């Protein structure tokens, strides 16, 4: 599960792939299963993480706990 989480974070950070494609690539049966996994592990939904990363790429502002979630390991 750690590997799948890192792959998901990588694609949210560096690609424009749709969440459904990321879920499928990680062998989840559907987006709902992927979202539950992601939310359980990180405390935010994949969509929230994606939006957070996207907005910070534009503004260059990264702060707080979410930075810890999405920085390179």
């Amino acid at each position: 599960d750690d590997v799948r989480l890192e792959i998901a974070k990588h694609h949210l950070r560096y690609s424009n792939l749709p969440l459904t494609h990321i879920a499928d690539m990680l062998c989840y049966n559907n987006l709902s299963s992927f979202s539950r996994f992601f939310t359980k592990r990180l405390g935010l939904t994949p969509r929230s993480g994606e939006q957070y990363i996207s907005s910070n790429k534009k503004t260059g502002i990264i702060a707080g706990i979410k930075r810890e979630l999405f920085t390179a390991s």
Side-chain angles (χ1 to χ4, degrees):
D1 282 348
D2 290 341
V3 172
R4 289 203 289 181
L5 182 61
E6 290 305 313
I7 292 169
K9 288 170 29 178
H10 172 84
H11 285 290
L12 289 172
R13 189 182 305 130
Y14 298 112
S15 77
N16 291 320
L17 294 173
L19 292 176
T20 52
H21 186 80
I22 295 171
D24 185 53
M25 181 174 46
L26 296 173
C27 299
Y28 285 95
N29 292 330
N30 54 52
L31 182 56
S32 179
S33 296
F34 171 63
S35 292
R36 277 193 306 273
F37 162 77
F38 194 91
T39 301
K40 183 178 178 181
R41 294 294 300 269
L42 295 181
L44 71 162
T45 66
R47 177 77 60 214
S48 296
E50 180 181 56
Q51 290 170 348
Y52 177 80
I53 291 167
S54 176
S55 68
N56 285 308
K57 281 181 183 176
K58 293 175 187 168
T59 63
I61 299 169
I62 299 177
I65 191 158
K66 290 179 183 174
R67 179 181 180 168
E68 295 301 316
L69 297 175
F70 288 100
T71 55
S73 299

